[in-house]
Amino acid sequence: GQQVMQIPQYQHVQEGEDFTTYCNSSTTLSNIQWYKQRPGGHPVFLIQLVKSGEVKKQKRLTFQFGEAKKNSSLHITATQTTDVGTYFCAAASGGSYIPTFGRGTSLIVHP
Amino acid sequence: DVKVTQSSRYLVKRTGEKVFLECVQDMDHENMFWYRQDPGLGLRLIYFSYDVKMKEKGDIPEGYSVSREKKERFSLILESASTNQTSMYLCASSRGAYGGDSGNTIYFGEGSWLTVV
C-alpha cells in the first residue's frame, strides 16, 4: 500500500516553544487530513487539505500542503501543555477514499 | 455529533479464545473500519467495509475476520487469540461510497484495550 512517512516520532519542547511535524509521500496525494490523539484518548479530526499549496490556520496551528501535493506539515506556535498528544497525518491518493495514516508524532510539552 | 461506540473498553482473554469486538455508529455512515494501534507503529488498518455484508482486507488482516450484517454495526473477530494480538483496537466510520468522494473525515471510537494472556 501507499507509504506515508511522518517525522519526527517524538518531540520534546519547553512550553512556549514552537513545534512542527512533517508528513511525506512518494506519490501525489489527493488530500491529506490531520488528527490529534490525546494521551489515553482516540484520534480526533483536526483538518483536511485538498489544494496544492494550501495553508489553513486554527488559532496557533498552521497546516500546509506542498505545491506538489506530496508533503504536508503541521506547525504549532508557542506550545501549551494542552497541545500534548500524538499528531497523525492521513493521506489519500488516486480514487481511494481510504487514507493511509502516518506513524504519528508524539509531542511532549514541558512546563 | 457522530458517535462511534465500542462495546468493550478493556478485555483480558486467554490464548486460543475466540474474541468479538463490537462497534456501532449512529450517523448512517457507509464506511466502517477496524484499526490496530501499537506504540511506534501508528494506526494500522485491519479490515474495512463500505456496505452491509461487504468487506475488504486492510494492511494486516491475518488472524482477524469481520462481520457487517447491519449498516450501523461492524464486528471484529479473533478466531483464536494469540499473545501478539495484545493491542488497542480502534473502530471508526466515515460517510461516502466506495470510489467516491475521497478524504472523508474518519470518526473513531474510544478504543478497546485487549490483553491476551
Side-chain angles (χ1 to χ4, degrees):
Chain A
Q2 176 182 282
Q3 296 289 326
V4 178
M5 302 301 295
Q6 188 173 358
I7 56 170
Q9 187 174 356
Y10 299 96
Q11 184 77 57
H12 290 255
V13 299
Q14 289 295 130
E15 191 171 17
E17 291 181 340
D18 292 356
F19 159 78
T20 306
T21 174
Y22 302 89
C23 204
N24 298 295
S25 170
S26 58
T27 60
T28 302
L29 304 171
S30 52
N31 65 76
I32 195 159
Q33 298 174 345
W34 286 92
Y35 293 77
K36 178 184 178 180
Q37 184 176 22
R38 295 182 187 275
H42 58 279
V44 175
F45 175 80
L46 293 175
I47 210 158
Q48 176 176 292
L49 305 171
V50 179
K51 300 176 183 175
S52 168
E54 189 169 14
V55 178
K56 288 188 176 180
K57 292 192 175 185
Q58 289 180 351
K59 297 182 180 177
R60 293 178 295 103
L61 278 62
T62 302
F63 304 84
Q64 292 190 339
F65 202 7
E67 293 290 341
K69 298 183 73 174
K70 290 185 176 181
N71 56 72
S72 181
S73 65
L74 158 57
H75 179 81
I76 303 178
T77 304
T79 54
Q80 300 174 359
T81 54
T82 53
D83 296 324
V84 165
T86 300
Y87 293 84
F88 292 96
C89 62
S93 64
S96 173
Y97 69 93
I98 306 296
T100 298
F101 280 82
R103 292 193 176 188
T105 296
S106 293
L107 172 63
I108 301 99
V109 180
H110 298 278
Chain B
D1 277 353
V2 174
K3 192 165 178 67
V4 180
T5 303
Q6 296 183 228
S7 57
S8 303
R9 195 89 163 97
Y10 301 97
L11 308 94
V12 180
K13 298 292 181 180
R14 294 195 179 277
T15 300
E17 275 193 80
K18 191 169 186 175
V19 181
F20 292 87
L21 299 179
E22 307 284 350
C23 175
V24 176
Q25 51 95 2
D26 65 357
M27 281 301 290
D28 202 36
H29 283 172
E30 282 80 10
N31 308 322
M32 296 191 74
F33 310 85
W34 275 105
Y35 291 89
R36 170 176 172 162
Q37 185 172 22
D38 300 287
L41 297 179
L43 300 167
R44 293 183 291 168
L45 182 63
I46 304 172
Y47 268 97
F48 68 94
S49 168
Y50 54 90
D51 202 351
V52 175
K53 296 191 186 295
M54 306 305 290
K55 60 185 180 184
E56 296 274 352
K57 292 180 180 179
D59 299 319
I60 52 164
E62 295 79 18
Y64 303 95
S65 62
V66 290
S67 171
R68 194 169 181 197
E69 296 297 318
K70 294 185 178 182
K71 190 175 185 180
E72 68 272 17
R73 189 178 297 270
F74 194 35
S75 303
L76 180 68
I77 303 150
L78 288 67
E79 292 289 341
S80 177
S82 63
T83 54
N84 62 13
Q85 292 178 309
T86 292
S87 186
M88 208 258 277
Y89 291 88
L90 285 161
C91 177
S93 72
S94 72
R95 64 171 176 81
Y98 183 75
D101 179 27
S102 60
N104 293 304
T105 300
I106 296 179
Y107 298 89
F108 288 87
E110 296 203 351
S112 297
W113 291 90
L114 172 66
T115 301
V116 182
V117 298

